[in-house]
Amino acid sequence: MPRVVVTGGSGKLGRACVKDLVGHGYEVLNIDLNPPREPISAYSKIDLTDYGQVLEAMVGGINDRLSGPFDGIVHLAAIPAPGLTANSATFTNNTAASYNVFQAARQAGIRNIVFASSETVLGLPFDMPPPYAPVDEAYPPRPESAYSLGKVVDETIAAQYCRWDSELKMIGLRFSNVMYPEDYKAFPGFDANPLIRKWNLWGYIDARDGAQAIRLALESKLKGLEVFVIANADTVMKKPSAELMAEVFPKVKMQRQVNGNETLLSIGKAKKVLGYTPEHSWRKEV
């Protein structure tokens, strides 16, 4: 049974991740400040801004908890969005936690690391229009907040760690806005005003599909740093995507034809390289 540490396994995406991994035969140690809603895996309360605590968890030194050696790390823990606390607190907390997790994994000899980056590195909120659509991983990061800047720092650290160690795999998943089925009741209301959700090109990620992407990233044979946009296959809107772009972003170049409600956060690379195929849509839930 593969053994994996999941940081932030009690959070919104973390809960789905832990459930998916356990359901696919993984042994999971969830390290988080908050206990999980459902005790389906081992759990330990760890402050990720304290390197000693993180290292102890990674080497399996916590009594009566799942012990190492671990086969992989999934790093999801963070203050999850801009504006939830002071910018300095968001940046300091998130970058310190990521450094501690990445460095502790190196010390523990763990070379399979998947971490939560963010769609925000693409330039969200799109007050300044994107360079083209659908947006993808090809253009340089455009952080517009302290939260997003921290995610760019995470990706930069990962790139240098992989330069130092050619056998290391670090996959950054640029997740869209995470949703559960209970969140979908609000979606039909978005149609009244396309501007409400223009900030991320009307994208979202079902937590269950986010969990699928994490598992596929863990199981991939890649080496080095790779980043992937992870969104669902459709938008949050009923209006066709091409019409939305023509109405809200008329000057943005369309890189290719988009059909129907196709996502404008390109998941082409994730589909091709990871085999990612979203299985859920809000349209089946509402």
Side-chain angles (χ1 to χ4, degrees), residues 12-32:
K12 192 170 188 179
L13 179 58
R15 300 195 305 271
C17 170
V18 171
K19 184 175 182 179
D20 180 86
L21 290 176
V22 170
H24 284 84
Y26 285 75
E27 288 188 284
V28 176
L29 173 61
N30 168 22
I31 60 175
D32 199 315

Side-chain angles (χ1 to χ4, degrees), residues 190-198 202 237 239 244 247-248:
F190 298 146
D191 280 311
N193 183 0
L195 298 181
I196 294 174
R197 293 280 306 193
K198 81 174 181 76
W202 308 280
M237 305 291 281
K239 182 177 285 190
L244 288 167
E247 177 181 347
V248 180

Side-chain angles (χ1 to χ4, degrees), residues 12 178-188 190 286:
K12 192 170 188 179
V178 179
M179 298 289 180
Y180 273 84
E182 56 265 32
D183 298 317
Y184 294 144
K185 61 182 180 292
F187 280 32
F190 298 146
V286 176

Side-chain angles (χ1 to χ4, degrees), residues 247-261:
E247 177 181 347
V248 180
F249 295 107
K251 295 183 179 180
V252 171
K253 178 184 177 181
M254 296 299 294
Q255 291 285 79
R256 59 174 175 78
Q257 179 179 327
V258 291
N259 300 310
N261 304 109

Side-chain angles (χ1 to χ4, degrees), residues 3-7 29 31 54-60 67-75 100-114 161-162 165 167-170 218 223:
R3 293 185 169 191
V4 174
V5 175
V6 177
T7 78
L29 173 61
I31 60 175
V54 178
L55 181 60
E56 190 174 349
M58 296 291 179
V59 298
S67 62
F70 290 101
D71 301 292
I73 305 294
V74 178
H75 175 44
N100 288 345
V101 169
F102 296 165
Q103 180 62 21
R106 288 188 72 226
Q107 290 295 109
I110 302 167
R111 288 189 163 115
N112 187 2
I113 302 171
V114 178
Y161 274 30
C162 290
D165 182 353
E167 292 301 309
L168 180 60
K169 178 183 81 178
M170 298 187 74
L218 275 174
K223 298 291 185 184

Side-chain angles (χ1 to χ4, degrees), residues 79-134:
I79 295 172
L84 297 179
T85 186
N87 290 342
S88 57
T90 298
F91 183 85
T92 300
N93 178 89
N94 290 0
T95 55
S98 293
Y99 173 80
N100 288 345
V101 169
F102 296 165
Q103 180 62 21
R106 288 188 72 226
Q107 290 295 109
I110 302 167
R111 288 189 163 115
N112 187 2
I113 302 171
V114 178
F115 65 97
S117 187
S118 169
E119 64 181 355
T120 61
V121 306
L122 298 168
L124 278 62
F126 285 120
D127 297 328
M128 178 182 292
Y132 54 79

